[in-house]
Amino acid sequence: MPHISATQRALACFDVLALIFGDNVWIPHEDTASKPKSLRMSDLISAALVCRAWRTPALRFVWRDLPSSLPLWNLFTPPDIRLYTHGDLSSGVLDKIISSQLWTSARCSERFSWYSGHIRTLRVNHAQDVQFFRTVLEKIDSVPILPSLKTLWWSPRPVSDQSLLPLFRMSLRNIFLNYSKDFKVEASTLHAIVSRLREHSPALDSICIDAVLSTDDPTLCTVADTIASFRNISRIRITDSVSLSSFYALVANPCLADIEIGVSRDKPTKAHDLVTAPGLRRMVISGRGRCLTKLFSSIRTPRLQHANITAWDRSASVAPDYVSCISAFAAALNQEVLEWVHLELGCSSEPATDDVIQLIKLIEPLLPCGQLKHFYLACHIINIATIDDEFERLSMSWPALEYLHVDIVDFTYDPGEDPEMEAAPTLAVLFYLWHHCPRLLELSLPYLGLCEWMASWLQVTSLRETVGDNPSTHPLAVLRIAMPEATYGEPSYCIEMNDEALSICARYLTTMFPVLDVDRCRPLDAESVELCAWAQVFRYMLASS
């Protein structure tokens, strides 16, 4: 009897092989950044041909994630037909497959039952995919269809299609409905799908609906109430807007941890009691400023860590009050828990007034959030102004910052004046952030004043006084500086600095931020302003590195 080593015995064990294949197989659409995967589907197919011991565990992962129904079609095709793309499944070929009626064969039914039993994720994105399940569900009733399905990606065509409802089973945990943007989806259609899910897949964990909805349909509130009733639902994504009443019903579910949604006012406007979202950790929300202000005033999110807010007003006949919106948001959260904030504020047309908002007034309600690691602010067609002292307060309030992006047009800078006049803010902003935010990795700022007289000032102000006796170890790797809006396409306002001034500014930056990746540092919109002072500084740093 031949000797069998311990390694050979281990590699013949089903559980060991399942762990090896399962931990290393690469699956399309899966995020593998944290743990790269080395095995491709072709590798698994090759492994299945090695020996009998490897066949079952390898094929188990080959069939685990199906990008389409084509592999299932091939189980019922005559020997002279093989399908590789959806283009191969022409009407003539389809008629030939259906007329062959191979699903009546006991052998084919057994093969279908064995292979389909391994499917955990299925994508139904083509008409041929839907045709397969219509055919199979009509012809096969002796074996269960996809009994272990956990994740279903479905693009109903037409939008009223409900042919895949029989696939909803107790095992289903995630469903993604991707409708065509060319048609509105009636709430009654969604209600039928959600009701079927509630009945046959009560343990659903996440639901994503990518569709243009008929938001005026009162049935939509019933759809939201049904989704909110799932006892284990933890993630909801709806790309269109729902009413405030529907939003409150969704976030009140104690298991809900992640929601992406748009909101609109109730019609008619209703008064709402204070609603607590006990489990909500991540919120991506969009709507008009006043609607969001009302929403934040009516909810409490004690565990919210990640917030992405887009407040956009189409008409500027009444100036949007985004200060009140941010204040209401800050009052709704636990300031010791929030770590990630992404704010996009703006209008579709010019503001009705020329009022200028100070940056500090806009973000002041969020300054007590001392654990903040990521802060992104972009303001469109809103007059924002700022000065150095405001960035000093910001940096002192958020010492844990790792990412900072402030995209505003600084209206305190007037290029019609002497271009060598001090602009606000200035280089002092970089010092404040270097001094108070020791974990900062990536930084994008509005225009910082930079000219030759500032370089002379830096030469007088010793770099040793800036960083002290010990070399700086600050981890900042990326620095981007925006230009004032008035300079776009106007190189006459850009300052040509001499080599000595460029050298002083470059040394100032590299002394404070020794690991700065110069290849990734550039002025925002530098393509339009090739002669801007910051572009010259970064080019000098790149040439000197």
Side-chain angles (χ1 to χ4, degrees), residues 8 15 27 69 121 132 146 169 207-208 216 241 255 294 300 320 327 364 366 375 411 440 443 473 480 492 494:
Q8 289 174 315
D15 293 338
I27 299 176
S69 65
T121 300
F132 171 82
L146 310 185
R169 301 187 178 279
I207 181 169
C208 299
D216 295 333
S241 298
C255 292
K294 182 178 180 180
R300 292 296 179 265
S327 298
E364 191 169 26
L366 297 174
F375 183 78
F411 282 84
L440 195 61
L443 178 61
T473 58
R480 298 185 179 93
S492 60
C494 297

Side-chain angles (χ1 to χ4, degrees), residues 27-29 62-75 83-89 112 115-116 119-133 146 149 151-155 164 167:
I27 299 176
H29 312 289
V62 168
W63 284 83
R64 183 174 65 173
D65 187 303
L66 288 192
S68 74
S69 65
L70 286 179
L72 295 172
W73 272 114
N74 279 316
L75 295 176
L83 307 175
Y84 299 99
T85 67
H86 286 92
D88 298 334
L89 199 57
F112 175 79
Y115 286 117
S116 65
I119 298 174
R120 300 296 185 271
T121 300
L122 176 67
R123 288 169 173 80
V124 183
N125 298 322
H126 297 83
Q128 294 91 333
D129 296 330
V130 176
Q131 178 64 37
F132 171 82
F133 287 103
L146 310 185
L149 185 65
T151 301
L152 175 63
W153 300 70
W154 179 20
S155 300
L164 265 62
L167 295 182

Side-chain angles (χ1 to χ4, degrees), residues 4-25:
I4 300 177
S5 67
T7 302
Q8 289 174 315
R9 289 196 299 272
L11 292 178
C13 175
F14 181 93
D15 293 338
V16 172
L17 291 170
L19 286 173
I20 293 173
F21 295 148
D23 286 345
N24 293 282
V25 64

Side-chain angles (χ1 to χ4, degrees), residues 312-320 346-355 380-383 409 411 485:
W312 195 271
D313 287 80
R314 298 177 183 175
S315 174
S317 57
V318 178
C347 302
S348 299
S349 56
E350 291 292 336
T353 66
D354 294 329
D355 295 340
H380 308 277
I381 319 184
I382 301 178
N383 300 343
V409 176
F411 282 84
E485 185 178 27

Side-chain angles (χ1 to χ4, degrees), residues 300-359:
R300 292 296 179 265
T301 56
R303 304 178 70 182
L304 190 68
Q305 297 176 332
H306 177 128
N308 186 320
I309 301 170
T310 300
W312 195 271
D313 287 80
R314 298 177 183 175
S315 174
S317 57
V318 178
D321 186 4
Y322 292 128
V323 174
S324 297
C325 183
I326 301 303
S327 298
F329 167 66
L333 53 85
N334 183 345
Q335 297 172 345
E336 298 178 357
V337 175
L338 190 68
E339 296 182 352
W340 203 101
V341 174
H342 182 110
L343 298 175
E344 291 196 47
L345 314 174
C347 302
S348 299
S349 56
E350 291 292 336
T353 66
D354 294 329
D355 295 340
V356 176
I357 304 173
Q358 283 298 132
L359 175 65

Side-chain angles (χ1 to χ4, degrees), residues 449-462:
L450 187 63
C451 53
E452 290 189 5
W453 74 262
M454 286 187 179
S456 302
W457 174 80
L458 290 178
Q459 191 172 26
V460 174
T461 305
S462 170

Side-chain angles (χ1 to χ4, degrees), residues 219-358:
T219 310
L220 195 59
C221 293
T222 307
V223 173
D225 292 339
T226 305
I227 294 175
S229 68
F230 284 88
R231 64 177 184 270
N232 295 326
I233 198 78
S234 64
R235 180 171 185 256
I236 297 172
R237 179 176 182 265
I238 301 176
T239 55
D240 208 343
S241 298
V242 300
S243 66
L244 289 177
S245 299
S246 298
F247 177 83
Y248 295 141
L250 294 172
V251 299
N253 187 312
C255 292
L256 185 66
D258 186 335
I259 188 168
E260 296 184 35
I261 205 166
V263 293
S264 58
R265 283 183 177 272
D266 293 322
K267 294 180 181 181
T269 303
K270 302 177 182 177
H272 296 280
D273 296 330
L274 194 64
V275 177
T276 300
L280 196 62
R281 297 177 181 271
R282 178 177 179 268
M283 176 173 62
V284 179
I285 193 166
S286 61
R288 297 193 178 187
R290 291 189 176 186
C291 183
L292 291 177
T293 301
K294 182 178 180 180
L295 181 149
F296 294 137
S297 300
S298 302
I299 65 169
R300 292 296 179 265
T301 56
R303 304 178 70 182
L304 190 68
Q305 297 176 332
H306 177 128
N308 186 320
I309 301 170
T310 300
W312 195 271
D313 287 80
R314 298 177 183 175
S315 174
S317 57
V318 178
D321 186 4
Y322 292 128
V323 174
S324 297
C325 183
I326 301 303
S327 298
F329 167 66
L333 53 85
N334 183 345
Q335 297 172 345
E336 298 178 357
V337 175
L338 190 68
E339 296 182 352
W340 203 101
V341 174
H342 182 110
L343 298 175
E344 291 196 47
L345 314 174
C347 302
S348 299
S349 56
E350 291 292 336
T353 66
D354 294 329
D355 295 340
V356 176
I357 304 173
Q358 283 298 132

